[in-house]
Amino acid sequence: MSRIRHTLLLWLVAVVTCGCSTLHDFAIINSTSESLHVTVTYLNKQEVYFRLTTAELFQQSNKKWTDLEASKIKVDKDRKTYSVKIPPGQALLVEEAINYVGHEHETFQIAKLSFAQGEQTRTLEGKAVQTAFKKQEGLDYALVFEGF
């Protein structure tokens, strides 16, 4: 194969395999005046981390996420559950997806979400978890918790 053909072939492979990707954030926003306890159960997620920002900053492109300290995360590795507390007015990043095209076309790594505030609790499982996150302006999805 000529050198020009070889170069064109490599260029074509690079263009096809390195297309643009978009990152979609999935966050739980606590819009109440009390802290919200959340337990997240993942299916097969290899790397789990949580980040916080304000509810207002979540709506912007520069969210200024801060990593949640490991000491503030209760982990049950056998059950693949992680429990955290979301302060009032804060957004907790619970999932990210690359090139997410909508709930009907994608699988979701969160199998179960449980919320607790005071004595009240609520649990979502399966597809109900995924569809609870609503598309926001731009690329992101949010589950806005407004109380029981």
Side-chain angles (χ1 to χ4, degrees):
M1 184 180 323
S2 75
R3 185 171 178 91
I4 293 175
R5 276 190 180 166
H6 186 260
T7 303
L8 285 174
L9 180 61
L10 286 175
W11 179 82
L12 181 61
V13 168
V15 167
V16 169
T17 60
C18 297
C20 294
S21 296
T22 54
L23 183 65
H24 305 266
D25 292 335
F26 289 80
I28 300 169
I29 299 174
N30 180 6
S31 67
T32 70
S33 60
E34 300 176 39
S35 291
L36 176 66
H37 295 271
V38 177
T39 301
V40 183
T41 305
Y42 290 99
L43 293 173
N44 294 310
K45 190 165 180 168
Q46 300 299 315
E47 182 182 359
V48 175
Y49 54 88
F50 297 98
R51 294 183 176 142
L52 281 173
T53 192
T54 66
E56 294 81 26
L57 284 174
F58 180 75
Q59 304 301 327
Q60 300 175 14
S61 59
N62 183 6
K63 294 174 180 52
K64 298 183 181 176
W65 293 112
T66 57
D67 292 330
L68 195 60
E69 299 170 24
S71 64
K72 295 185 178 185
I73 304 169
K74 182 179 174 186
V75 179
D76 183 337
K77 288 191 178 192
D78 293 334
R79 294 184 180 165
K80 300 178 186 174
T81 63
Y82 302 81
S83 298
V84 299
K85 183 170 71 170
I86 307 173
Q90 297 288 299
L92 177 73
L93 179 69
V94 293
E95 182 65 279
E96 293 176 313
I98 297 173
N99 297 334
Y100 191 83
V101 294
H103 299 322
E104 61 279 351
H105 304 292
E106 300 285 343
T107 56
F108 206 57
Q109 286 299 309
I110 300 174
K112 183 177 175 181
L113 275 179
S114 297
F115 305 95
Q117 204 172 46
E119 296 296 316
Q120 296 181 306
T121 62
R122 182 185 317 159
T123 299
L124 300 171
E125 294 187 63
K127 194 71 170 177
V129 173
Q130 184 177 14
T131 57
F133 288 88
K134 304 300 180 198
K135 181 94 167 76
Q136 306 296 296
E137 286 187 34
L139 303 173
D140 302 321
Y141 290 78
L143 188 165
V144 179
F145 184 84
E146 297 175 331
F148 292 99

